[in-house]
Amino acid sequence: MAPPAPARAVFANGTAHSRAQHRCLEDAYDPVTLPRLAAAGVGPGWDCLEIGAGGGSIARWLADRVAPGGSVLATDRDPRDLAPGPGLEVAALDVARDPVPEAAYDLIVARLVLQHVPSREAVLHGLVRALRPGGLLQIDEIDASYEPPLLTPDAAAEALYVRFLRAKTAAMRAAGGDPHWGRRVPGALRAAGLTGIDVHLSIGVRHAHDPGLGLQLNHTRNLRDRLVAQGMTDEELDRVGELMRDPSFRAASSVFYSVQGRRPGEEHR
């Protein structure tokens, strides 16, 4: 029997809003992801795999970092927004369905991917097997359970923003995702057999010039059909978009977890 067709991705590439989504993700989270990789010692000669590479900012950084002698394979279910380059290959990969070669990589990175994969625990074990002994896995995820509005014009605006957040969470869960999974990543890496678990978390304030809030604003358009399916109206989504453009608006961000662990065995470098 043929395997079931993959579910439609919550965030698809090649749409009217995907490139803006990638820019917001890069601006919001590269300042955490890339220094974490640098501090871990990623350098020349490393063979690297990125899962769900999106717009490719991490993969491009890695390709520069591991030269000479290293390699980077940037993968995505739909890699149309990725471009190959020196030391950088691009491939289509659905990590929930497609096999990953075992003991092939010194580093594997996945940012904001596994929370969307219903079989995330099984996928995680597969990524561990794809590491060479001593290889490094970095999983960056969010926990969206704490994102309260802090400054809004009035109680109605505050309630609308909270309604938007709840609708987005419901939409993610309806697609098999877990928008609170970030807090469970450290335990998941340890359960998958990794050692030396290193956890970094960050939280910020969302405001009109914050790329994290720009990402939320993008979601009012990018996820509109899914949000409407969860009970929001087009008029409400337009209003919450206006609220997020208000220079006085403030909200807490979600908590961003960057978690590293190593496959047991002799160090590869």
Side-chain angles (χ1 to χ4, degrees):
M1 180 181 296
R8 184 169 67 92
V10 173
F11 296 107
N13 290 340
T15 71
H17 307 296
S18 62
R19 292 187 183 275
Q21 161 112 347
H22 295 325
R23 286 194 298 272
C24 290
L25 284 169
E26 293 165 7
D27 291 346
Y29 299 124
D30 279 7
V32 177
T33 299
L34 302 185
R36 290 276 291 161
L37 293 169
V42 177
W46 285 42
D47 294 319
C48 307
L49 170 67
E50 185 181 5
I51 301 297
S57 64
I58 298 172
R60 290 190 297 272
W61 182 90
L62 285 172
D64 288 339
R65 189 88 181 183
V66 303
S71 67
V72 179
L73 177 61
T75 69
D76 205 290
R77 279 176 42 142
D78 180 349
R80 74 179 74 185
D81 292 336
L82 296 168
L88 172 59
E89 296 183 15
V90 171
L93 178 81
D94 182 346
V95 72
R97 293 166 55 88
D98 300 329
V100 180
E102 295 192 11
Y105 300 102
D106 303 306
L107 169 72
I108 299 175
V109 184
R111 183 172 71 187
L112 300 175
V113 175
L114 298 190
Q115 65 170 278
H116 299 294
V117 179
S119 57
R120 62 188 67 83
E121 304 292 342
V123 167
L124 183 58
H125 281 263
L127 296 181
V128 170
R129 290 192 297 272
L131 290 170
R132 292 171 178 151
L136 180 71
L137 177 64
Q138 178 167 317
I139 303 292
D140 289 359
E141 290 286 356
I142 62 168
D143 175 0
S145 62
Y146 180 80
E147 304 177 289
L150 305 173
L151 287 174
T152 60
D154 50 44
E158 178 177 343
L160 177 63
Y161 185 72
V162 170
R163 179 169 163 76
F164 162 71
L165 294 178
R166 289 175 177 169
K168 194 169 74 161
T169 293
M172 300 294 180
R173 291 198 182 282
D178 181 0
H180 301 169
W181 192 60
R183 73 177 81 169
R184 288 185 276 276
V185 172
L189 264 60
R190 184 168 63 182
L194 297 185
T195 61
I197 307 299
D198 183 71
V199 183
H200 173 91
L201 60 88
S202 59
I203 185 170
V205 177
R206 289 174 174 159
H207 53 80
H209 300 292
D210 168 51
L213 190 63
L215 192 61
Q216 294 282 72
L217 185 59
N218 175 277
H219 294 167
T220 66
R221 302 181 291 268
N222 204 0
L223 299 178
R224 181 156 293 220
D225 289 348
R226 294 179 185 267
L227 294 171
V228 169
Q230 295 301 324
M232 295 205 76
T233 67
D234 286 318
E235 188 268 339
E236 286 175 326
L237 290 169
D238 290 341
R239 279 170 41 214
V240 80
E242 292 172 5
L243 173 64
M244 287 189 275
R245 294 186 188 94
D246 183 338
S248 69
F249 176 80
R250 297 291 187 276
S253 76
S254 54
V255 183
F256 184 73
Y257 288 79
S258 181
V259 188
Q260 296 175 344
R262 289 191 179 273
R263 182 173 183 178
E266 184 178 349
E267 293 291 328
H268 64 287
R269 300 293 168 197

